Amino acid sequence: MTPPLILGIESSCDESACALVDADGRVWAQAVASQVDLHARFGGVVPEVAARRHIEAMLPLVDELFAEAGVDWNAVHAIGVTQGPGLIGCLLVGLETAKTLAWLHDKPLIGVNHLAGHLYALAVAPPRGEHLLIERGERVAVLPAARAGSAEDADAARIAQPQYPFVGLIVSGGHTSLVWADAPDRIRTLAQTRDDAVGEAYDKVARALGLGYPGGPVMDRLAAEGDPEACPLRAPMLRRDKPDFSFSGLKTAAGRLAEQLHARYPEGIPEAELKNVCAGFQAAAVESLLGKSLNALSEHGARDLVVSGGVACNRGLRRRAEDLCRRRPDLRVWFPHPSICTDNAMMIAGLAWQLDPLPHRAALALNADAGMGLG
Ligand code: KG4
Ligand code: ZN
């Protein structure tokens, strides 16, 4: 028997995504239609182009999802949809799709904050792979309770459950925020970026180096083989009395370095040079992210740091978190599995279980909120 499922719909940026998730956080099916190829030639997301592609992608994706899960609308308890923050045209497509489906199938509708969704990813069990807990410098594979008990996951040693309240670090192409989470839907912002998001800085530096889009994964790969000391880039805004992030200075400095290298090597920048710039940029960005996180943990007396969003996939960031936890055995750092760090609908459906459905009239009047804050 299929338990009641929430259908999650996400379209805040350049991924059309939907998922079916039960009340225990178990994912029954999920589907993502990435638009990366569409935007690659522009070196970043073009909002109008993204919104139009969402329109084409969304309903076939929902059909695909139900076919994969082998369920019909009778299994759906409610629909959870990203209300904001994000690109307004993109959000509207997901929201109108969700409202139409809710009306058509007479299902309750739940508006979900995308950032709160990123932070909730740990409570959801993706179809494959575990989450990561770093404690005393050790890596431990963890899962939400729903999957930790089953035989197939017998070697997942622990249950993924950081204690509320905890500090969250949300790092993506659109956001870089440190937050304080009292509960899944009670989150307040402690600090954020004053200019570029860290993922945006990765993407722009990668573009300047001629590495394609999105830049984060490829720079991460190259950085692993480079020498950060051979690169003059340094971490921005480390002062303790300045809790906010800033990445535009680092981005500009890396861009200037890229220009110099292009001038020096008109035939193409040698791979060793590229690796060193990537390593230098990554070391500086990671130092800033973890340094500010550590300040927030100390200031608020918290033990757990949960890192999520696309940049949480970064291997350099995960490795430095190990060093940090080795030095500070009182701290624990949690990373969701990469498949649920980047934009997805599993986290939206999972969080929707924790929120109240909107009354019928409010559901149909629900509007997208491009600048939606945390509650
Ligand atoms: O969360 P996400 O899928 O979408 C937004 O909400 O923005 O994050 C996408 C961002 C992109 O900027 C991408 O370059 C970055 O996450 N990213 C990475 C890595 N994987 C994805 N940045 C650094 N290292 C990675 N391994
Ligand atoms: Zn996101």
Side-chain angles (χ1 to χ4, degrees):
M1 249 281 283
T2 317
L5 302 172
I6 285 188
L7 167 65
I9 294 182
E10 154 66 36
S11 67
S12 65
C13 190
D14 62 341
E15 323 274 6
S16 318
C18 52
L20 287 164
V21 177
D22 70 22
D24 290 330
R26 186 187 292 260
V27 176
W28 286 69
Q30 73 118 6
V32 180
S34 169
Q35 300 183 2
V36 160
D37 295 346
L38 187 64
H39 301 285
R41 68 193 147 118
F42 304 111
V45 178
V46 184
E48 266 309 305
V49 175
R52 280 163 202 266
R53 179 56 67 87
H54 283 307
I55 295 174
E56 293 162 7
M58 207 47 104
L59 285 175
L61 208 60
V62 172
D63 288 343
E64 204 182 290
L65 183 78
F66 279 90
E68 191 192 322
V71 301
D72 60 22
W73 279 93
N74 289 320
V76 176
H77 167 74
I79 300 175
V81 61
T82 303
Q83 189 185 355
L87 301 170
I88 188 70
C90 297
L91 289 166
L92 281 168
V93 177
L95 201 68
E96 292 307 320
T97 305
K99 282 202 276 191
T100 307
L101 291 172
W103 178 76
L104 203 61
H105 298 283
D106 196 21
K107 301 292 178 186
L109 188 69
I110 303 164
V112 179
N113 183 299
H114 179 84
L115 297 180
H118 271 306
L119 217 51
Y120 195 72
L122 270 185
V124 177
R128 278 172 299 282
E130 290 91 25
H131 304 312
L132 175 67
L133 161 65
I134 300 175
E135 194 176 21
R136 295 189 189 86
E138 297 292 322
R139 291 173 161 244
V140 186
V142 290
L143 282 169
R147 251 184 68 195
S150 70
E152 64 179 294
D153 303 311
D155 42 342
R158 303 272 292 271
I159 292 174
Q161 207 57 76
Q163 297 295 309
Y164 285 100
F166 57 74
V167 173
L169 174 66
I170 304 165
V171 276
S172 72
H175 307 277
T176 307
S177 300
L178 269 170
V179 300
W180 180 256
D182 275 310
D185 61 339
R186 270 194 306 172
I187 302 170
R188 75 187 154 85
T189 305
L190 300 173
Q192 52 196 329
T193 180
R194 294 185 173 186
D195 37 60
D196 292 359
V198 61
E200 185 184 355
Y202 263 102
D203 294 338
K204 289 188 174 152
V205 172
R207 190 181 185 192
L209 290 168
L211 295 175
Y213 172 84
V218 57
M219 285 187 69
D220 189 14
R221 232 175 8 253
L222 291 172
E225 292 169 21
D227 174 11
E229 297 303 321
C231 172
L233 300 172
R234 293 293 166 259
M237 300 262 289
L238 283 180
R239 279 174 49 185
R240 214 190 158 102
D241 58 337
K242 297 233 182 346
D244 282 340
F245 299 99
S246 167
F247 291 101
S248 79
L250 178 62
K251 175 195 71 181
T252 307
R256 236 180 262 128
L257 212 54
E259 270 171 36
Q260 290 164 8
L261 288 169
H262 283 302
R264 195 179 319 152
Y265 303 106
E267 303 294 308
I269 305 173
E271 183 133 301
E273 296 272 11
L274 284 176
K275 287 176 177 169
N276 289 346
V277 179
C278 291
F281 175 87
Q282 178 141 306
V286 166
E287 192 180 338
S288 166
L289 293 174
L290 287 180
K292 302 272 179 207
S293 301
L294 185 58
N295 291 347
L297 287 162
S298 308
E299 199 168 309
H300 296 273
R303 178 181 186 208
D304 286 310
L305 175 69
V306 175
V307 190
S308 193
V311 182
C313 299
N314 188 271
R315 287 184 300 166
L317 178 60
R318 291 176 178 229
R319 208 165 308 117
R320 289 296 290 168
E322 285 175 42
D323 299 339
L324 173 68
C325 293
R326 208 167 287 123
R327 282 198 322 267
R328 291 285 306 267
D330 54 321
L331 300 180
R332 302 188 298 186
V333 185
W334 306 76
F335 289 94
H337 185 264
S339 65
I340 197 167
C341 280
T342 49
D343 283 352
N344 67 88
M346 300 178 272
M347 64 187 193
I348 302 300
L351 177 53
W353 276 106
Q354 306 295 326
L355 309 173
D356 292 328
L358 293 161
H360 196 64
R361 284 182 58 166
L364 291 182
L366 189 69
N367 208 349
D369 183 354
M372 191 176 190
L374 289 159

